[in-house]
Amino acid sequence: MYDHLTIVKHPLVQHKLSLMREKETSTAVFRQLLREISMLLAYEVTRELPMTTKRIETPLKEMDAPVLAGKKMALVSILRAGNGLLDGVLELIPSARVGFVGLYRDEKTLQPVQYYFKVPDALEDRLVIAVDPMLATGNSSVAAIDLLKGAGAKNIRFLCLLAAPEGVARMGEAHPDVPIITAALDERLNEQGYIVPGLGDAGDRMFGTK
Ligand code: URA
């Protein structure tokens, strides 16, 4: 349906996501599940990375061993909920560089406005993985990718936990070169812009706010 979208159907991902969706799941358990699921999603988002070889010596002999090619990748968290995905991804890719994009929605224009932007250098030479758990309307995701491209990024992937068809379509129109990796494509957005059935407000659920 969307050729820029990958849904990670791994049973562990799907099981953990179902637990996260349940409204009775506590903040502590939600956070732990998010950490576990983001490691599994990180495995998928890095599946096709370019490789090279390095001459190494095992205790038995020399060999050309496969290693990742190129500059260290950049993980960019779209604040604040992106930080929940960031921790688990960093556990799997501890040498990644990290950036942050802060956006809020202007209540009059409903457009995203930047309040924070700090990213690693030489973005043009790195794989950039933008993380945000919920791809809802797509407005903030599109704006964040606009900013990353403006800072030089050329090879970007977008990692989320849940996506709405509206957000996937919007990202596909604005940034067809950016693959989206998610654990589920839900039914739709409601009038308040929440993903249905979704899991509620991801930031509130992971940080225990209301
Ligand atoms: N952001 C959230 O946290 N939840 C949604 O359902 C949509 C956007």
Side-chain angles (χ1 to χ4, degrees):
M1 185 169 159
Y2 302 106
D3 54 9
H4 57 299
L5 179 73
T6 300
I7 301 173
V8 181
K9 301 221 168 100
H10 193 288
L12 286 177
V13 170
Q14 293 304 316
H15 181 80
K16 288 175 195 297
L17 177 59
S18 298
L19 297 175
M20 292 179 77
R21 289 181 188 272
E22 283 191 61
K23 65 178 182 188
E24 300 302 339
T25 297
S26 70
T27 300
V29 172
F30 187 92
R31 210 183 283 153
Q32 177 60 30
L33 288 164
L34 182 58
R35 193 180 186 83
E36 293 165 5
I37 221 171
S38 36
M39 283 193 257
L40 296 163
L41 293 175
Y43 180 82
E44 289 294 333
V45 78
T46 52
R47 196 179 263 287
E48 313 274 321
L49 289 189
M51 303 291 294
T52 183
T53 56
K54 180 184 166 193
R55 194 79 190 154
I56 63 160
E57 213 177 320
T58 79
L60 299 178
K61 74 181 289 253
E62 285 198 353
M63 69 173 284
D64 292 314
V67 289
L68 294 173
K71 261 186 143 27
K72 304 245 178 320
M73 69 186 86
L75 306 176
V76 177
S77 167
I78 303 173
L79 296 172
R80 76 179 158 148
N83 284 12
L85 272 183
L86 186 63
D87 288 349
V89 179
L90 265 177
E91 210 147 298
L92 207 67
I93 318 169
S95 62
R97 304 303 189 235
V98 181
F100 296 92
V101 179
L103 298 162
Y104 70 88
R105 197 160 72 136
D106 184 292
E107 292 306 327
K108 286 204 190 91
T109 65
L110 301 182
Q111 290 309 305
V113 181
Q114 171 193 335
Y115 67 86
Y116 191 75
F117 188 75
K118 183 86 179 167
V119 292
D121 68 359
L123 270 197
E124 58 280 10
D125 300 327
R126 302 180 190 275
L127 168 65
V128 177
I129 302 176
V131 299
D132 191 353
M134 309 298 271
L135 176 57
T137 61
N139 287 340
S140 59
S141 313
V142 165
I145 304 292
D146 284 341
L147 290 168
L148 291 172
K149 286 186 175 174
K154 293 189 170 65
N155 182 10
I156 308 175
R157 296 178 194 178
F158 186 85
L159 180 63
C160 59
L161 187 60
L162 278 188
E166 294 87 338
V168 176
R170 171 112 169 76
M171 277 281 279
E173 281 156 25
H175 297 296
D177 57 318
V178 175
I180 300 167
I181 293 88
T182 187
L185 178 65
D186 272 13
E187 281 167 35
R188 61 183 172 87
L189 290 181
N190 71 9
E191 303 69 39
Q192 287 79 40
Y194 280 91
I195 298 177
V196 178
L199 49 73
D201 187 298
D204 282 348
R205 294 205 61 191
M206 73 180 75
F207 297 122
T209 48
K210 262 276 167 330

